[in-house]
Structure formats: C-alpha cells, structure tokens
Amino acid sequence: MARQYPLERTRNFGIVAHIDAGKTTTSERVLYYTGVSHKIGEVHEGDTVMDWMDQERERGITITSAATTAFWTPTYISKEERAKNKDANAYRFNLIDTPGHIDFTVEVKRSLRVLDGAVVVFDGVSGVEPQSETNWRYADEYNVPRICFINKLDRMGASFENSLQSIKDRLNPGAIAAQLPIGSEANFSGIIDLLTQKAYEFEGDKGNVIKEIPIPADMAEEVSKRHKELVEKIVENDDLLMGSYLEGKEPSLADLKRVLRKAVLAVKIIPVYTGSALKNKGVQLVLDAVVDYLPSPLDLPPVKGIDPKTNAEIFRKPSDEEPFSALAFKIMADPFVGSLTFFRVYSGTLKRGSYVYNATKGETERVGRILRMHANEREELEEIEAGNIGALVGMKDTTTGDTLCFEEKPIILEKIIFPEPVISIRVEPKTKADQEKMGMALRRLADEDPTFRVSGNAETGETIIAGMGELHLEVLVERMKREFGVESNVGRPQVSYKETITKASEAEGKYIKQSGGRGQYGHVRLRIEPLPRGTGFEFVDEIKGGSIPKEFIAPVEKGIEEALTRGIQAGYRIIDVRATLYDGSYHEVDSSEAAFKIAASMGFQAACKTAAPIILEPIMKVQVIVPTEYMGDITGDISSKRGRIEGMGDRPMVKVIDAFVPLSEMFGYATKLRSMTQGRGNFTMEFYAYEPAPNNVTKEIIEGKRQ
C-alpha cells in the first residue's frame, strides 16, 4: 500500500523547555492551527489537550510527555496550490510535548532519543534557564537538530536581544536571529522574517489570519543589517554560494533555504524565532520552519545497532523495504486498554496480528493492537511504517529502551541511559488490605518510569521508593491513590547517598558448605578498581584455562551486582567500579550457581573494605532569583549550606545567583527563601553530580544522624 505521506514529508519533533517557558501553550496552538483540535486549550484554564492528566491540569505543569500526530501545509503555499491538491503540500508531524520540571527530566531524555528534531522554547524575560541547559545537553548527546522559539515577548521585561544573547553565550554560538519582533512587552505587535525581509501581523480571534505589512520605517536599517548577517552566516556553509556571494551576487531565497537546512541538520546554525504563543503570534511561522529546516527521517544517517548473534555492527535505513526495527521509549499505564508501549519505527513496517521479537530480552510477543496516539485519545492502525511513532497495547515483557524487530533479522539498538535517583522516602499502605495492591501499583509505576526505583529494607521490612526529587515522588504517590486506589503513609524525604572506592584492591571469596549430602563449593579471585564518576558498574571476565567453568561466570556477575546494593560503610549502593574475575576454582560435584554467586558477593565485599571506600552525596545545581536588596542575605545563606557560588547575573529588577549545593542542605529551602525575601524570591534546582562527602558529613551518615 502506498504511503499517503512519504518519509520526506514526515517530521518527528519535540517541544522542549524550562518549566513555565510556555511549552504546552505553544503545543496547544500547534494542535489548533493544524486542525487537530477546534478550540485552543489553556494551561491556566485547565483544559489543555496535551496536559491531559488531572494532576497536570491542577498543578498547571507537564508531568508526562504526550505524543500526537498533526498535518501542516506551510503558510507560504498559495491558495491556488492548496486548492489543487490539499494533501500534496501537507506534512505529517509526529509531535511530543515534554515536561519542563527537572524532576521529570526522564521524559525529555527518552523523547529526544527517538525524535529527529526539536523546537526549544525560551521565556522572553528569563532567556536560558537551568532546565534549558539540561535539555540542550540531552539534544547534543543525541545530535538532535533544533530551532529556537523565544516566547512571551508580550510580558513586562521581555527582551528578544537579551534572550538571544543568552542562547549564544550559554548554549551555542551558532544561534542567529531568523526573525525580529515589532515592538515588545505591551507594544509587541508583529514579526519580521529576516530571510525574506517581510513583516507580518496576526489577525482574527485566534491569530489565524497572517497579514503581510510594510516593515516599520524605524526598523528598516536594522532589518537590512540583520538580513546581511544571516545571509553571511548561511553562505559560510557552502563553498559555491560563498564564492558567488563574494563576487557580489545575491543568493536566491531557494539557495539560502537549502543551505540553511543543511547547516541546521549539521547543528552548525540554530535559527531563532520569536512570538507570543498566548497572544497567538508567531506559532504558524515556527511550523513553517519545522518543515523547512528540521529533518525528515531520510535526512538522518541509517540507525546503528548490533547483531545479537554475532555482536557485529549493523545498520538499518529509514525505509519500508528494510527489515523491521523499532525502539520502545516509554511505557504508560492506560486505564482503558492496560499497558501502552510507545515505540519509534526506524525501518520496515509492522502489521497488526503479526509477531514481534524483543531482541533485548530474547522474547517474542504477538502484536494485538497498534495505536496512533493523540495525547490520551487513540486511533487504531492496521500497520505502521518506517519513520512513525505509535503505541502497542498489552506488551508483557517490553520495557523502556528495548529493541523490537523480527526474529529472523534481529538487531539491538543503542539503549537509553537514565540518571540515578537522588531522593528516597519510606512508604506503607494505610490498611493491611492494600499491601498487595500497593506492591502491584509500585511495580506498574516503576515499569513506566526508569528513574523511579522501589526497594525493600530487609532489616525493617519497609518499602523505600526513590526518585529525582520531592515533586516527582509526591506525584507518584498521588498517582498510586488516584489510578490504583491505594492510600499510603509517607515518611520524610531522605537523600540517596552512594558509595564508591578510591583505589584498586584484590580479594578472594570462598564459600564451602558440607551438609551431609552434596555440599556447596564456590571459589573466586577478584580485582576491583574505581571508574570515572557516572560510569556505573563494569564486569570483566579474565578466566583462562577453565579454572571456573563458563556456566558459573554469569552467577559470579550476578553475585557482585547484588553486593553492589549493600554498601560497605552505610549500606548505600556502590557505584562506578570495575570488578575483574581473574581466577578461582571449582569442585566437580559440589559447585553450583548459588555457591559461586555467594562466593562472588563475599569476595567483592572483602575487596571493597580494603579499597578506601567513600560516601558520595548528590550535589544540586541551584539558581536563585531574588530582588537586589536580598542579595547579601541569600549568598550568605547559600555559603552556610556548604554551597559554592558559581556566578551572579542581572535580569530586569532582580539578581540571579547560580550555585552548587548538597541536596541534604536543600530540604525546606522553598519556605526559608520565601520568609527571607518576603515571598519575592524563587529558585530552581536540578541534579548536577555525585561528589565525595566531607569527613564530618560521612561520620554523621554512618552514625545515622543525617537524613
């Protein structure tokens, strides 16, 4: 069956931003202008399409990423062309609206892993904010081409120039204005396109009538200068165009757009657009830019993976004719259809009723239903082709990051690496009857969210849940109550400390047990060494000559992994360590997997004790925004919390303090900041890194005096 929308007219992109930059408001305009919704949903009225969860509407923030499909015909296509053939000029948008709060950063990371491009939204008053930098880093990690949209230019204190400069200084010097605003704050009335040197106003109740107007006389010189800057930046990326430009020939609009597209795809130029989503100005022109400059699946290199049978590198092109390959990037509990597995198809097609192979787990599952999602609404599909995003119903063994393919042509795509949780709380059901229900609810929530961990304390019998922040855990406890009907008592938040080693060490683990019949015998020799921060755990098998049979190597690795969860000094998880199994012995009759698992665990614990273990504490990147008169008090307070002040900046009428502060010192800071600044200060906080805790703090942690 021929595709209605070929791959070159498909755009998979996300809308990402710091909290409160206007991301969901922008997404709602996209849905309205593309005809997906017939009414614009507003965050402040709690009737948005993309923020569909009750908690999102109540809190006015995005908690979970929402996917939808929309269709767009660029505004520069003439009415005559549109009338001839409506579909010939339309583009399919697979759009994901992501959260802006740092506690839900997992949603941004996994979305950027499967998207081809991104629209990064900035608040016209604040410019680049902490979460903007984190999102930008994720986009850099996956080499995602992006365009910027400076929003909220109608707000008091908004400045296009300051916001643009902050993008250049803090994110990418390749950022350049593609538009200029006409007026600002209350006088913001329109937009000038610097490439075409045309000015526009947005009329009608919802800004859906785009009217070309003359460029204001007082801006003509500035527009000419900025147009020249933009053209020069573009022609730098094409030798032929550069040559003719230096000879004095003005490049054609088609050539400029072609080369600009090439530069955006190579992340050499980041075009910056502007407007006010709330006042319905500028969003349609951003959608035109998505069509013109963000990639289709065909613009990207073939996806790389490994053959699970041979470990050889293999590639799949974005084509319906290639073998099927897809990445599951999100699991969601749906009250109507059960578990939903969101996936991005990189190659081939998948039909309803066929069987799909989970190459990561080695399991085969039947595809019952394929859905195209519109936020929390769904549309049934018979098949899904390369380059598209959909959801599967009822997959039992598939989790985030698993590769789906056909068994006869297996491939494993690159997994998504998620940050470690930094905060934990004790949770217990309010009634005995809820005990089992709580276990099931926590399991389902942990399947959905890779940054949410559930563990049991063997000594106290308590259930501990860990996540990325207080809001993250608060939302999950609330979801447990609303979606699963489980009421719970929650303890005080506690910091998720970690442990590691600082020098190499060796030890042996021997487990010998005689019990009348067949005994138990396991013997390993291990070498351990520290790894750079953030590397995780690495296991190396150096057994030669069969001193330990092959079938006992995996149990040794499992035994060490279990030992990692029981720290040496204070019982916290051990991270960033390499364990090498280099020797050992076995007994023909008495050796077993269980014996080698226990021996490995004992050996690893013994080696850690002599490897100078230390405790690591999470350090948070904190940005505090306060009126100038409170600057001294706030910097003094941050220093008293063991904070390192990294910089101070200015915004209209306020000071901005950037600092690194241990998480353990930040509990209750919102209340303290309000009282110190008469309610006028606010702050944002995100995880930065794990760093060694000072000796006095380590002593308190070991003695249990510090939360």
Side-chain angles (χ1 to χ4, degrees):
M1 190 175 81
R3 298 171 65 117
Q4 186 183 1
Y5 292 90
L7 276 171
E8 61 268 20
R9 284 199 280 120
T10 297
R11 300 288 183 270
N12 296 313
F13 70 99
I15 296 186
V16 298
H18 183 90
I19 191 167
D20 275 347
K23 183 174 30 55
T24 299
T25 303
T26 304
S27 298
E28 293 298 317
R29 267 68 189 169
V30 172
L31 297 189
Y32 176 75
Y33 296 133
T34 56
V36 172
S37 55
H38 303 292
K39 155 182 192 300
I40 294 181
E42 300 290 8
V43 173
H44 55 272
E45 289 174 12
D47 62 354
T48 55
V49 174
M50 298 304 261
D51 283 356
W52 53 270
M53 285 171 66
D54 289 343
Q55 284 201 70
E56 291 179 312
R57 291 177 170 184
E58 287 164 15
R59 295 170 187 265
I61 62 168
T62 304
I63 290 169
T64 181
S65 55
T68 194
T69 300
F71 302 93
W72 177 248
T73 301
T75 59
Y76 50 75
I77 302 289
S78 68
K79 282 182 183 173
E80 294 75 26
E81 280 291 312
R82 288 166 191 256
K84 267 189 225 168
N85 188 341
K86 192 178 80 154
D87 289 338
N89 299 301
Y91 286 74
R92 178 204 289 272
F93 287 169
N94 293 316
L95 164 70
I96 296 183
D97 174 37
T98 62
H101 197 287
I102 184 60
D103 283 14
F104 310 105
T105 188
V106 60
E107 295 285 347
V108 184
K109 185 158 193 182
R110 61 181 168 193
S111 297
L112 285 171
R113 168 67 179 83
V114 298
L115 291 169
D116 302 333
V119 175
V120 188
V121 182
F122 298 89
D123 183 324
V125 178
S126 308
V128 174
E129 296 177 89
Q131 184 65 8
S132 316
E133 294 184 71
T134 304
N135 294 340
W136 199 271
R137 203 165 59 242
Y138 290 155
D140 281 341
E141 201 177 308
Y142 296 124
N143 206 29
V144 175
R146 62 216 86 147
I147 59 179
C148 297
F149 176 54
I150 296 175
N151 188 26
K152 300 192 175 185
L153 274 199
D154 57 305
R155 275 186 66 199
M156 185 183 286
S159 166
F160 176 76
E161 291 303 331
N162 290 348
S163 298
L164 174 62
Q165 197 57 47
S166 71
I167 295 169
K168 287 181 176 180
D169 294 343
R170 294 171 62 179
L171 301 179
N172 192 314
I176 187 161
Q179 294 178 337
L180 283 181
I182 300 172
S184 68
E185 300 181 345
N187 298 319
F188 173 55
S189 61
I191 288 165
I192 297 167
D193 185 294
L194 291 172
L195 207 56
T196 59
Q197 297 187 86
K198 290 179 178 175
Y200 300 98
E201 276 183 348
F202 300 84
E203 296 181 343
D205 188 29
K206 302 286 192 286
N208 38 1
V209 178
I210 302 171
K211 181 184 168 191
E212 191 178 330
I213 58 168
I215 291 172
D218 61 340
M219 292 185 73
E221 194 180 322
E222 174 74 0
V223 169
S224 179
K225 177 180 152 226
R226 300 292 274 266
H227 169 74
K228 193 178 174 196
E229 279 174 21
L230 179 59
V231 170
E232 285 174 359
K233 183 105 176 166
I234 293 169
V235 298
E236 282 171 12
N237 294 276
D238 188 280
D239 293 342
L240 281 173
L241 211 58
M242 182 74 158
S244 66
Y245 182 71
L246 291 174
E247 287 168 12
K249 292 176 191 163
E250 185 71 18
S252 70
L253 181 61
D255 278 341
L256 286 171
K257 286 177 96 166
R258 174 181 57 80
V259 176
L260 178 54
R261 178 179 179 77
K262 188 175 82 173
V264 171
L265 298 187
V267 198
K268 288 181 178 171
I269 294 181
I270 316 283
V272 180
Y273 295 81
T274 189
S276 166
L278 186 65
K279 295 293 167 67
N280 308 312
K281 290 180 170 64
V283 174
Q284 299 99 313
L285 301 184
V286 173
L287 295 183
D288 288 352
V290 168
V291 165
D292 291 341
Y293 308 120
L294 289 187
S296 77
L298 292 175
D299 293 312
L300 301 171
V303 66
K304 184 171 77 174
I306 59 163
D307 186 328
K309 294 174 184 170
T310 62
N311 273 348
E313 227 175 55
I314 48 177
F315 295 87
R316 296 273 166 86
K317 292 177 191 162
S319 161
D320 295 349
E321 277 65 55
E322 286 273 298
F324 174 71
S325 66
L327 187 77
F329 67 94
K330 176 181 167 75
I331 310 296
M332 189 174 95
D334 187 286
F336 302 105
V337 297
S339 174
L340 280 177
T341 303
F342 285 79
F343 68 111
R344 156 74 191 265
V345 184
Y346 284 96
S347 63
T349 58
L350 182 66
K351 287 184 168 61
R352 190 162 70 87
S354 59
Y355 284 86
V356 72
Y357 179 64
N358 182 331
T360 313
K361 302 258 175 41
E363 302 282 344
T364 301
E365 296 193 60
R366 186 173 181 277
V367 177
R369 294 165 68 193
I370 304 172
L371 305 177
R372 179 184 291 146
M373 299 302 294
H374 297 285
N376 63 329
E377 294 179 1
R378 52 198 76 75
E379 173 192 340
E380 298 271 353
L381 298 177
E382 283 301 312
E383 67 174 5
I384 188 165
E385 309 109 331
N388 282 321
I389 291 172
L392 298 172
V393 176
M395 302 290 278
K396 292 182 177 62
D397 299 310
T398 303
T399 52
T400 300
D402 286 357
T403 301
L404 303 174
C405 55
F406 291 150
E407 195 164 359
E408 58 274 15
K409 293 276 188 178
I411 184 173
I412 296 180
L413 303 173
E414 182 193 347
K415 281 198 77 140
I416 311 169
I417 296 163
F418 296 109
E420 285 285 315
V422 295
I423 192 167
S424 60
I425 55 173
R426 176 183 50 77
V427 63
E428 62 182 27
K430 283 198 171 166
T431 65
K432 269 269 192 290
D434 278 345
Q435 185 77 47
E436 198 175 316
K437 271 168 73 181
M438 187 179 89
M440 187 199 75
L442 291 174
R443 217 170 27 250
R444 292 271 294 276
L445 292 169
D447 284 345
E448 281 188 34
D449 185 347
T451 58
F452 175 57
R453 305 277 168 80
V454 183
S455 59
N457 186 321
E459 290 170 18
T460 62
E462 293 173 333
T463 300
I464 309 292
I465 58 173
M468 299 305 296
E470 290 179 80
L471 179 63
H472 185 201
L473 295 179
E474 188 185 313
V475 163
L476 286 164
V477 168
E478 184 69 19
R479 281 188 64 193
M480 199 160 60
K481 177 182 167 187
R482 293 189 187 199
E483 294 173 29
F484 301 95
V486 179
E487 297 259 5
S488 56
N489 296 317
V490 177
R492 283 178 57 201
Q494 296 188 313
V495 178
S496 281
Y497 295 104
K498 298 282 186 276
E499 299 189 26
T500 193
I501 56 171
T502 54
K503 66 178 191 182
S505 175
E506 292 186 8
E508 70 173 335
K510 205 176 253 189
Y511 180 66
I512 304 170
K513 193 173 182 187
Q514 292 302 132
S515 55
R518 180 181 164 181
Q520 294 282 356
Y521 183 92
H523 174 220
V524 299
R525 290 184 187 277
L526 299 171
R527 182 169 55 249
I528 64 168
E529 54 199 302
L531 289 175
R533 199 71 62 242
T535 312
F537 168 63
E538 210 176 281
F539 176 74
V540 181
D541 170 18
E542 279 187 6
I543 293 294
K544 292 179 177 68
S547 57
I548 296 176
K550 275 264 185 284
E551 65 264 28
F552 297 137
I553 305 296
V556 167
E557 185 177 358
K558 205 162 185 190
I560 295 170
E561 284 177 350
E562 283 185 12
L564 289 171
T565 62
R566 305 185 299 274
I568 306 306
Q569 294 183 289
Y572 293 103
R573 186 179 181 83
I574 300 167
I575 60 168
D576 303 334
V577 61
R578 177 188 289 129
T580 304
L581 172 64
Y582 69 89
D583 199 7
S585 62
Y586 72 103
H587 189 279
E588 289 282 1
V589 178
D590 291 352
S591 283
S592 67
E593 290 189 0
F596 270 96
K597 196 169 151 188
I598 295 166
S601 186
M602 290 163 62
F604 182 77
Q605 292 266 334
C608 284
K609 283 174 183 164
T610 59
I614 57 167
I615 288 177
L616 301 170
E617 63 176 345
I619 305 296
M620 309 306 281
K621 189 177 182 182
V622 178
Q623 186 175 81
V624 188
I625 300 163
V626 291
T628 309
E629 61 264 34
Y630 301 109
M631 181 87 158
D633 291 347
I634 298 303
T635 52
D637 184 57
I638 288 171
S639 298
S640 74
K641 294 178 180 298
R642 297 191 286 128
R644 305 193 304 270
I645 292 172
E646 289 295 301
M648 301 182 198
D650 292 293
R651 282 190 200 156
M653 299 174 287
V654 292
K655 292 283 186 185
V656 181
I657 305 160
D658 290 297
F660 295 112
V661 189
L663 174 61
S664 58
E665 306 285 348
M666 291 301 292
F667 289 132
Y669 187 63
T671 308
K672 186 171 186 185
L673 181 65
R674 275 198 295 270
S675 66
M676 286 178 76
T677 61
Q678 296 180 349
R680 293 163 67 197
N682 63 65
F683 78 103
T684 57
M685 175 171 81
E686 66 176 297
F687 172 69
Y688 171 67
Y690 272 99
E691 291 181 3
N695 289 338
N696 62 320
V697 173
T698 297
K699 191 164 177 261
E700 287 178 15
I701 293 167
I702 292 169
E703 290 170 357
K705 291 178 182 173
R706 183 174 278 266
Q707 294 300 309

